[in-house]
């Protein structure tokens, strides 16, 4: 965000960012605070929405840019790479799998196959969320048939329910490292191959030009 401000030389005005609740909480909080301290004359706003809605916001100019993944960018969008998100598995700390690995001394997180989730209470994301597609692919590749007991609207919601003991869920390393946990779950690396997701700051080319020309 500092690079954008330096380019546009904005001292007053507004900046609207499209994001999800998870990316706002885990990625934007500290940069927003730092940005405001350096550019106090710029009014900041965040519009939170699912990925498909955020793409519409970018195309229409409703937001100056949005945090999106690089899997299906439209040709009229331009982007800046920010970071890569790695998929992990979370289970309640009282879960038998967590207890079995609690004393592991090896560095990093223990590894486990998603097949271990067969028959286990599981919190998946609603079909409109990209993590729901990751879940389906993991079920297919591992043969796992979890017992879905709840469909969450966000990874944060699913993670909080997991930490409270409701069931296992999929998370990202960004959430593991950056979320301000009330109570933490137990985390595993997955043995299955799951492609990392590239997080991008995305805007339409014309909107980007307009932003750079703003007074």
């Amino acid at each position: 965000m500092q690079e954008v401000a330096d380019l546009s030389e904005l001292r007053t005005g507004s900046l609207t960012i499209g994001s999800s609740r998870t990316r706002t909480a885990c990625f934007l909080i500290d940069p927003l605070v730092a940005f405001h301290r350096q550019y106090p004359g710029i009014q900041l706003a965040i519009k939170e929405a699912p990925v498909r809605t955020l793409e519409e916001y970018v195309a229409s100019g409703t937001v100056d840019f949005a945090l999106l993944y690089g899997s299906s960018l439209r040709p009229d969008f331009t982007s800046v790479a920010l970071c890569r998100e790695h998929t992990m598995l979370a289970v309640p700390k009282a879960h038998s799998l967590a207890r079995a690995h609690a004393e592991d001394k090896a560095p990093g997180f223990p590894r486990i196959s998603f097949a271990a989730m067969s028959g286990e209470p599981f919190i998946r994301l609603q079909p409109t969320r990209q993590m729901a597609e990751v879940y389906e692919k993991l079920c297919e590749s591992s043969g796992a048939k979890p017992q879905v007991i709840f469909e969450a609207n966000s990874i944060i919601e699913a993670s909080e329910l997991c930490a409270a003991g409701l069931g296992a869920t999929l998370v990202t390393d960004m959430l593991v490292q950056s979320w301000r946990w009330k109570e933490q779950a137990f985390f595993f690396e997955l043995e299955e191959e799951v492609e990392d997701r590239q997080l991008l700051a995305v805007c339409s080319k014309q909107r980007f030009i307009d932003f750079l020309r703003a007074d």
Side-chain angles (χ1 to χ4, degrees):
M1 281 195 273
Q2 183 176 341
E3 293 176 354
V4 174
D6 288 341
L7 285 170
S8 60
E9 297 183 354
L10 285 177
R11 293 297 176 267
T12 61
S14 63
L15 180 65
T16 302
I17 304 166
S19 181
S20 69
R21 182 191 174 203
T22 302
R23 283 168 294 213
T24 298
C26 297
F27 187 81
L28 282 179
I29 297 298
D30 291 340
L32 284 173
V33 172
F35 183 93
H36 174 69
R37 287 172 178 166
Q38 187 164 354
Y39 301 98
I42 299 176
Q43 182 179 351
L44 298 170
I46 294 177
K47 291 184 72 69
E48 293 184 349
V51 170
R52 292 177 181 83
T53 303
L54 290 176
E55 290 174 344
E56 295 171 4
Y57 285 168
V58 172
S60 65
T62 302
V63 299
D64 293 297
F65 67 88
L67 299 184
L68 295 169
Y69 296 109
S71 55
S72 59
L73 286 186
R74 290 172 34 161
D76 57 331
F77 288 175
T78 189
S79 64
V80 176
L82 298 176
C83 65
R84 301 191 74 85
E85 289 186 16
H86 180 63
T87 300
M88 299 177 67
L89 176 70
V91 302
K93 280 192 171 180
H95 194 284
S96 59
L97 290 171
R99 294 198 305 270
H101 290 271
E103 302 302 322
D104 287 358
K105 301 300 182 182
F109 298 98
R111 292 175 60 84
I112 196 172
S113 171
F114 194 74
M117 291 296 100
S118 277
E120 294 292 330
F122 203 89
I123 306 160
R124 71 180 178 193
L125 273 287
Q126 293 176 359
T128 55
R129 303 293 178 172
Q130 286 194 337
M131 191 61 86
E133 182 179 345
V134 176
Y135 167 82
E136 295 297 339
K137 288 181 177 179
L138 280 168
C139 288
E140 182 178 351
S141 63
S142 69
K145 294 182 179 180
Q147 179 190 356
V148 176
I149 57 174
F150 192 86
E151 284 194 347
N153 187 49
S154 71
I155 296 177
I156 286 179
E157 181 182 47
S159 300
E160 290 177 334
L161 290 169
C162 171
L166 185 63
T169 194
L170 293 173
V171 296
T172 67
D173 58 345
M174 179 188 293
L175 186 82
V176 172
Q177 297 163 8
S178 303
W179 176 239
R180 293 164 172 83
W181 295 87
K182 297 176 185 176
E183 181 179 351
Q184 203 164 45
F186 191 92
F187 306 108
F188 290 94
E189 293 279 0
L190 288 166
E191 293 179 355
E192 286 75 20
E193 192 72 30
V194 180
E195 184 178 359
D196 288 350
R197 300 191 295 178
Q198 176 71 65
L199 184 63
L200 308 171
V202 178
C203 53
S204 70
K205 293 179 181 178
Q206 186 58 50
R207 183 64 179 174
F208 187 65
I209 292 170
D210 291 344
F211 181 63
L212 293 180
R213 290 174 176 170
D215 294 329

